[in-house]
Amino acid sequence: MQKFTKLSSIATPFPRVNVDTDIIIPAKHLKSIKRTGFGEHAFETVRFDSEGAPIEGNVFDCERYKDANILITGDNFGCGSSREHAPWAISELGFRCIVAPSFADIFSGNCVKNGILTVELPQGDVDALVLAAEAGHEIHIDLEEQTVLCQNAKYDFEYNAAHKEMLMAGLDEVGQTLRASKAIGSYEQKQKAATPWLFTAD
Amino acid sequence: MSKAMLQSMPQTMYDKIWANHTVEERAGGTALLYIDKHLVHEVTSPQAFDGMRAAGRSIHRPDSIIAVPDHNVPTKDRHLPNPDPMSTAQLTALEANVKEFGLNYIPMDDKRQGIVHVVGPEQGFTQPGVTLVCGDSHTSTHGAFGALAFGIGTSEVEHVMATQTLQLKKARNMRVTVTGSLPLGCSAKDVALAIIAEIGTAGGTGYVIEYAGPVIEDLSMEGRMTLCNMSIEAGARAGLVAPDGKTFAYLKGRPYAPGDDQWDAAVAYWQELPSDHDAKFDKEVTIDGNAIVPLVTWGTSPEDVAPVTGCVPFVAEFEAEAKQEAVIKSLEYMGLSEGQLIKDIAVDRVFIGSCTNSRIEDMREAAAVIKGRHVADRIIEAMIVPGSGLVKLQAEEEGLDKIFTDAGFQWRDPGCSMCLAMNPDKAGAGEHVASTSNRNFVGRQGPGARTHLVSPAMAAAAAIAGHFVDVRDFIRGSS
């Protein structure tokens, strides 16, 4: 997984609330058995009309935000379905960091596993960043310091320590957990005695 | 703090299950949590199996997994070749993967096949006190049994397969108490919608919700599943109901449930699970069950709820500017106007099914309304999709299929169907759908489709009337 330490980029403003994962990537596009190819359908209803023609001026395709690696958006972003295809699709649009007042739990977990940083800031700060994004200002994210810098403003954000370590090191989580296989083994021995009906196959 | 003191501290059911499954504590409230049960379907698993193969890893406990196709299976003409090559690729991949990794598998032509969240409980795979996961957000359904059950992403599916654990941060505890008793014509779906309307779609974010109170105790296991299913629509990754006599009676004798030799020990363990009477919840919400009425969603978020006797709200009723903008967009998408009566919304299509409402009780609830009546002329298609082959057989044994087909409903084969329209079951652009599913998101049931979430009885009544109607009038026979 790609490491995440610092990121400086212009940002795409998309201040909509309750953006669900069906908006990020509609179910009809989930039929691939690969992790790639979802970007072209990302935010389909925002980018294309019902005939499939591009919607003029949508923030995801317009020239102005073409190089943005940061998405500034609304409350409860990523709610709904658990599909990891959502962060896969967002990655393919070039975003490595999403800033919002709040994120749905499953979605933010899925982001960490794909090297995407989710930054939660109060609504007022997000509003300011939306304006900055619209004005084309560069935004600087520093995960180590847990800060967002934009023009003369500095915003601190909270972030889960374990997730920070994973992102900064670009860790393979499965490999990391397998280092605890001894503890997992002794837990299973204990549970076989406590709840034997859960180990019927042995 | 000593261990003895910790044990004497009052705990919620969630605290207990969490503690029972903690393999290792990590920094910042995170733990390595042991996972007992894992349900797998065709859409969110292929990339996980690929990852396992690429890393040369084996599945830690193949016995902890049941795989069953549900999301994109056709619900009719199954004897014919699947018309969608992409779906076929996923179904074929699942079949090849379960063979390669040696997993329990319920194929499409098996009478037990159905929606993972119907199959798990039906097979006795879902049990009190276990941790259960699936690459599907409606895994919260299984909390109806007092199981800590939640949806996971594909990377986590792979993580559980390889390690039998997940690295997780503990959620906070919320209790939603529903007092009184449910009025005539209302069911678990109305309770779920009433709760979401009250706390909002982000109200449960960061929490596990325990449902309590007389209304919850009175619900059948099917009703509790409907309620826990929609916890995720309130933002909570998991919902819980304390296991009781109904739970044990439901499980007894099912294929994966503890056998006779272990039954008493299991029940004794399960009886220890409910929250201690003095356990502390971080957030408490109380809903007056007596005041619940049949509900209908009017917008594109499950919190956009109105009583069937009410009307579409005015934008000015909402305080937050962002919500006002969202409501304007919703009404435009839904083709509705402020102040319009819910009963004046004409319905074009009806879908009774999904992991929320496709169990035998839902079939009976719909049949009670439909019996002796006929689907309105304006309805393009009214479809009933049972949650599993076993639900289908049971309904047919009770003669419900006859009631449905006589009334002009289609009686389909089990699967997720028009809940998310991954298979050919879709609604057309601009069509209003009375749907017993769980999400009214933009495009969820097909591009441009307008979804209204309702209970099975309300969906059935809308099919008969051709517009939304108060099912209580049907039941009283005054319509």
Side-chain angles (χ1 to χ4, degrees):
Chain A
M1 192 176 82
Q2 203 184 344
K3 286 181 192 176
F4 192 113
T5 47
K6 285 180 185 180
L7 176 66
S8 292
S9 156
I10 58 163
T12 300
F14 185 56
R16 196 188 280 193
V17 296
N18 293 330
V19 172
D20 56 70
T21 50
D22 278 76
I23 293 179
I24 299 172
I25 179 81
K28 64 178 174 181
H29 298 303
L30 303 184
K31 290 180 187 167
S32 169
I33 54 174
K34 303 197 188 87
R35 281 176 193 256
T36 51
F38 300 104
E40 58 180 304
H41 304 296
F43 297 100
E44 190 178 58
T45 55
V46 180
R47 296 167 61 202
F48 305 98
D49 66 19
S50 54
E51 311 289 304
I55 295 173
E56 201 70 28
N58 83 77
V59 291
F60 297 104
D61 295 307
C62 75
E63 192 59 28
R64 185 177 179 81
Y65 305 118
K66 188 167 62 74
D67 297 323
N69 302 127
I70 301 169
L71 181 66
I72 317 284
T73 187
D75 204 19
N76 198 26
F77 188 82
C79 59
S81 156
S82 59
R83 62 190 68 157
E84 196 162 321
H85 313 67
W88 296 339
I90 285 177
S91 261
E92 283 184 29
L93 290 186
F95 297 115
R96 299 217 53 218
C97 174
I98 311 172
V99 182
S102 76
F103 294 90
D105 291 332
I106 301 179
F107 177 79
S108 52
N110 282 338
C111 281
V112 185
K113 291 168 179 66
N114 290 281
I116 300 174
L117 173 66
T118 52
V119 173
E120 280 188 7
L121 289 175
Q123 184 70 56
D125 297 347
V126 173
D127 291 344
L129 288 171
V130 166
L131 292 178
E134 285 169 353
H137 295 299
E138 197 162 74
I139 293 171
H140 310 275
I141 314 273
D142 188 329
L143 178 55
E144 170 89 70
E145 298 293 322
Q146 296 183 210
T147 57
V148 177
L149 296 173
C150 183
Q151 297 175 278
N152 295 321
K154 174 170 163 259
Y155 311 93
D156 297 310
F157 63 91
E158 301 281 318
Y159 200 68
N160 179 292
H163 290 169
K164 180 173 175 176
E165 193 188 325
M166 265 187 66
L167 277 182
M168 293 198 61
L171 275 183
D172 165 17
E173 203 186 4
V174 175
Q176 191 194 24
T177 298
L178 285 173
R179 294 207 298 254
S181 50
K182 215 171 147 190
I184 296 169
S186 31
Y187 173 87
E188 284 178 330
Q189 286 312 317
K190 192 180 72 166
Q191 287 311 106
K192 273 179 197 169
T195 55
W197 58 90
L198 296 177
F199 293 86
T200 46
D202 298 334
Chain B
M1 202 181 293
S2 74
K3 204 167 180 193
M5 268 183 77
L6 266 175
Q7 279 167 350
S8 67
M9 272 174 64
Q11 290 181 302
T12 66
M13 182 158 45
Y14 173 53
D15 294 338
K16 293 180 191 183
I17 302 174
W18 181 273
N20 288 344
H21 288 83
T22 300
V23 174
E24 274 184 354
E25 304 259 12
R26 300 271 164 92
T30 304
L32 190 63
L33 201 73
Y34 192 79
I35 302 301
D36 297 310
K37 306 270 183 180
H38 189 181
L39 290 162
V40 166
H41 64 84
E42 76 277 23
V43 177
T44 56
S45 68
Q47 296 89 348
F49 283 114
D50 268 356
M52 297 286 288
R53 249 189 305 269
R57 287 170 179 146
S58 58
I59 292 191
H60 185 83
R61 273 186 63 188
D63 69 303
S64 70
I65 297 175
I66 291 183
V68 58
D70 61 0
H71 276 59
N72 65 33
V73 297
T75 60
K76 65 172 183 183
D77 301 331
R78 283 195 178 166
H79 58 287
L80 300 175
N82 189 326
D84 180 350
M86 299 285 278
S87 293
T88 306
Q90 280 188 335
L91 294 167
T92 312
L94 181 65
E95 202 158 318
N97 284 327
V98 296
K99 212 170 273 172
E100 180 182 340
F101 289 93
L103 306 179
N104 300 308
Y105 178 55
I106 301 177
M108 200 169 72
D109 57 4
D110 190 302
K111 68 177 180 188
R112 299 168 301 162
Q113 182 268 337
I115 307 172
V116 275
H117 308 311
V118 176
V119 171
E122 216 166 54
Q123 294 303 314
F125 186 73
T126 307
Q127 295 166 19
V130 300
T131 46
L132 184 154
V133 296
C134 173
D136 186 280
S137 63
H138 290 111
T139 308
S140 59
T141 309
H142 308 263
F145 292 79
L148 177 59
F150 49 88
I152 56 177
T154 298
S155 294
E156 288 173 314
V157 169
E158 185 179 336
H159 195 276
V160 174
M161 285 176 174
T163 71
Q164 212 61 38
T165 65
L166 283 172
Q167 297 183 23
L168 287 173
K169 188 174 184 333
K170 193 170 180 231
R172 285 171 292 176
N173 283 289
M174 182 193 301
R175 178 162 58 190
V176 175
T177 305
V178 188
T179 59
S181 62
L182 265 191
L184 178 81
C186 296
S187 62
K189 183 61 161 287
D190 300 300
V191 179
L193 290 172
I195 292 169
I196 297 162
E198 173 73 22
I199 70 175
T201 51
T205 303
Y207 291 93
V208 164
I209 299 178
E210 179 172 336
Y211 299 98
V215 165
I216 311 303
E217 288 160 24
D218 285 350
L219 288 176
S220 64
M221 290 315 295
E222 285 83 358
R224 293 176 189 179
M225 286 188 247
T226 300
L227 179 64
C228 287
N229 173 275
M230 292 196 68
S231 304
I232 186 68
E233 264 55 71
R237 209 167 169 178
L240 284 169
V241 173
D244 59 11
K246 273 184 209 175
T247 319
F248 311 149
Y250 179 99
L251 285 172
K252 182 102 175 130
R254 294 193 183 254
Y256 285 82
D260 286 342
D261 52 332
Q262 294 182 316
W263 181 257
D264 291 345
V267 170
Y269 178 84
W270 296 342
Q271 283 170 332
E272 294 298 317
L273 293 168
S275 295
D276 298 329
H277 73 279
D278 48 354
K280 197 191 151 295
F281 289 83
D282 302 293
K283 190 169 169 183
E284 294 258 17
V285 175
T286 304
I287 307 265
D288 178 4
N290 295 323
I292 292 175
V293 296
L295 298 167
V296 180
T297 65
W298 48 264
T300 56
S301 168
E303 69 191 19
D304 299 339
V305 169
V308 65
T309 49
C311 60
V312 175
F314 289 84
V315 174
E317 289 174 40
F318 299 90
E319 271 173 37
E321 200 182 318
K323 182 66 192 176
Q324 285 192 354
E325 281 168 25
V327 169
I328 292 168
K329 269 207 160 66
S330 286
L331 294 184
E332 191 187 312
Y333 178 81
M334 294 296 289
L336 299 174
S337 35
E338 296 174 288
Q340 184 175 349
L341 287 176
I342 297 292
K343 287 182 187 170
D344 286 347
I345 302 173
V347 171
D348 305 294
R349 200 177 278 272
V350 176
F351 171 62
I352 297 177
S354 88
C355 58
T356 313
N357 282 125
S358 64
R359 299 178 181 82
I360 190 65
E361 185 180 273
D362 303 312
M363 301 293 116
R364 291 177 188 144
E365 185 182 314
V369 172
I370 293 165
K371 193 172 184 176
R373 296 184 165 109
H374 201 275
V375 170
D377 286 344
R378 67 163 288 120
I379 304 287
I380 299 165
E381 195 173 52
M383 192 190 282
I384 302 185
V385 186
S388 73
L390 293 178
V391 170
K392 187 172 191 194
L393 286 174
Q394 173 73 31
E396 288 173 357
E397 220 163 85
E398 297 178 18
L400 306 185
D401 59 319
K402 186 92 176 39
I403 294 174
F404 298 146
T405 50
D406 283 354
F409 281 88
Q410 298 184 24
W411 179 236
R412 298 291 190 95
D413 289 324
C416 297
S417 181
M418 211 167 61
C419 174
L420 81 170
M422 277 194 82
N423 75 348
D425 307 341
K426 291 178 178 41
E431 290 176 13
H432 287 270
V433 189
S435 178
T436 66
S437 54
N438 38 58
R439 290 185 175 136
N440 50 356
F441 296 160
V442 169
R444 173 91 177 175
Q445 297 192 298
R450 295 162 168 168
T451 305
H452 300 272
L453 305 176
V454 286
S455 70
M458 282 288 288
I464 306 296
H467 57 89
F468 286 106
V469 58
D470 191 339
V471 70
R472 293 171 297 185
D473 296 340
F474 266 63
I475 296 169
R476 292 187 197 112
S478 63
S479 181

